[in-house]
Every structure is written in structure tokens, then in C-alpha cells.
Amino acid sequence: MGVVIPAAGQGKRMGAAGNKLFLALAGRPILAHTLALFEDSPQVEEIVVVGSEGDLPSIRALIQEYRFKKVSQVTLGGKERQESVYAGVRALNPAIQRVAVHDGARPLLTLEELNRFFTESEDYRAAIMGIHLKDTIKRVDENGQVLATPPRESLRAVQTPQIFDRKLLETAHRLCIAEGFLGTDDASLVEWLGEPVYVLDGTLENIKITTPEDLWLAESILAKRTEKGRNMKTK
């Protein structure tokens, strides 16, 4: 299995001057946590990291510092995330038949959760992580007037990783480029193609670090995991 990590994380909402993925989380860059997860998975053969031109030297230095052996390439992305993912998919070894795409800014998924997702998705050509919603969702117009209240049971908040048959994903990207379709995630490209996409259970802790509050929450989650591990060792 190959993994594509889009890593062009701008720090606007984080208030950071550069790429937020280089910010420290529990003593290591956010991106290092994310890469370590896939480096440790026995089901992952190859990782491609996609970044902006100015960040490529820093990404390569990070990979060397933390000795990530499964990262085969650090490649230049495009203006849109969709373009970057397609560049990453094309950079994978031709022998790779299954591709997982995961946000560089989601560093909190555990190895157990990742491997479970990989196992549960084996029978699907396209599968994504998602969680049930706790809040009621309203669809509104441009003035804020409520148009509809979709049934919460039929809604999911979508996460990554998202996993695909490689040929299916490449076809979806290629045709979307030709037609000028820009999706919100990789699954939406496959949906646009008319192919089924299945949602498997994600986890509440698999957050995307976007704001300073997210970073604080991530620190808290990792601290609790560390404390739990210490308590288990002392029993």
C-alpha cells in the first residue's frame, strides 16, 4: 500500500508565519507525528509527501532527522490540494495498487486505529473515515435563514485517511481535471465519477490541527495517552 501525505499546511488560522506542520507538538513537529504513524504500519510500503516549493527542503530535512525510511519522495504539489494529491499518487511506485491519502495535519490517529481501518476497507474500492455528528445540522441560505434540517443519522463528519484502488483514484483525478471539477476531498472526486464510496468509523481524537485551540487539544490528548501508558506499566 502507498500513502500520500499532502503537507502544504498554511498557518493563517493558526497564526503561524509559515507551514503549521513544522510547529511543535509534544516536542516534535506535527508532520513528524503523522509520518511516524504510517512508518510504523506494517501494511504501508511507501510514503510520498507533497509540499509547496518553499517547504520542500525543510520537509526533506525533517525526514532525514527522524529517519523515515518508507518516504520514497518529497514532491512538489499544485495550487489546490486536489492537484497536490494527484502529483503524489503519480509519484508512487507503479507496483502500488492501493493508495491511502491522509492530511499532514492529522497526527493523532493511533496505529491500532489505522490498521483497523486498513483491514476493514480491504473489500472496498473507495473507503473513508467518518464520525457520527452530535449536533443538529441546519442548511441555510445566504441570509442565514434555515432551509432544512437534515436527519442527523444520515450525516457524517469526514476525516482522513481515505483509501482507494489506485486506478480508480487516478481515473477520477484525470477526468475531474478534464472537466474542471474541483472537489472538497478525494472521495468527492470518486463520487462525481459515479462510483460508490463507503464510510467506516473514525475516532473523535483524529482531529485536524487548524487553530491554536486544536494544537492545545492535541497536546492534551497526547499527554493523557502518555499518562495512561505510564499507569499501565506500573500495574
Side-chain angles (χ1 to χ4, degrees):
M1 181 185 304
V3 178
V4 174
I5 305 289
Q10 298 181 6
K12 293 179 180 179
R13 282 185 284 178
M14 182 64 71
N19 191 328
K20 66 185 177 184
L21 299 185
F22 298 129
L23 294 175
L25 170 62
R28 291 195 296 171
I30 293 171
L31 182 58
H33 286 275
T34 304
L35 290 175
L37 171 66
F38 293 94
E39 179 81 16
D40 292 341
S41 173
Q43 299 189 58
V44 172
E45 302 170 64
E46 181 185 8
I47 303 168
V48 170
V49 183
V50 188
S52 60
E53 186 172 6
D55 288 334
L56 297 186
S58 297
I59 294 173
R60 292 189 178 105
L62 181 151
I63 291 166
Q64 184 175 8
E65 178 182 355
Y66 290 94
R67 300 179 181 179
F68 293 125
K69 297 179 180 179
K70 291 183 180 180
V71 179
S72 62
Q73 291 194 54
V74 178
T75 192
L76 179 64
K79 183 178 178 181
E80 301 289 345
R81 181 185 184 278
Q82 184 170 317
E83 297 171 327
S84 296
V85 171
Y86 189 36
V89 174
R90 286 180 294 169
L92 288 167
N93 187 303
I96 295 291
Q97 298 301 311
R98 295 275 283 178
V99 179
V101 182
H102 186 70
D103 298 324
R106 290 187 190 268
L108 298 180
L109 196 65
T110 67
L111 185 60
E112 180 181 2
E113 291 161 348
L114 176 65
N115 289 334
R116 171 184 56 79
F117 173 72
F118 282 160
T119 299
E120 292 179 353
S121 64
E122 286 178 352
D123 294 332
Y124 304 119
R125 298 183 71 204
I128 63 179
M129 269 195 174
I131 57 174
H132 293 263
L133 299 179
K134 294 182 178 181
D135 299 322
T136 295
I137 302 299
K138 301 287 185 180
R139 187 164 62 85
V140 301
D141 64 15
E142 63 275 7
N143 298 315
Q145 180 178 335
V146 174
L147 299 177
T149 304
R152 189 168 54 192
E153 295 77 13
S154 66
L155 300 175
R156 298 291 184 274
V158 174
Q159 303 175 330
T160 64
Q162 301 185 353
I163 191 166
F164 307 93
D165 174 89
R166 181 177 183 166
K167 290 183 179 179
L168 173 63
L169 184 59
E170 288 182 327
T171 298
H173 272 279
R174 187 171 61 253
L175 292 178
C176 285
I177 290 172
E179 296 294 331
F181 176 78
L182 190 64
T184 54
D185 65 354
D186 298 282
S188 64
L189 309 187
V190 175
E191 294 163 32
W192 177 85
L193 201 62
E195 294 288 337
V197 176
Y198 295 88
V199 181
L200 304 177
D201 285 340
T203 168
L204 289 173
E205 291 187 351
N206 184 24
I207 63 171
K208 186 176 183 180
I209 298 179
T210 305
T211 66
E213 291 77 15
D214 296 330
L215 187 58
W216 175 85
L217 178 58
E219 291 274 6
S220 178
I221 290 171
L222 289 181
K224 288 181 179 179
R225 289 179 184 175
T226 300
E227 184 62 28
K228 181 179 180 182
R230 288 172 180 169
N231 291 338
M232 291 181 66
K233 289 180 180 179
T234 58
K235 287 183 180 180

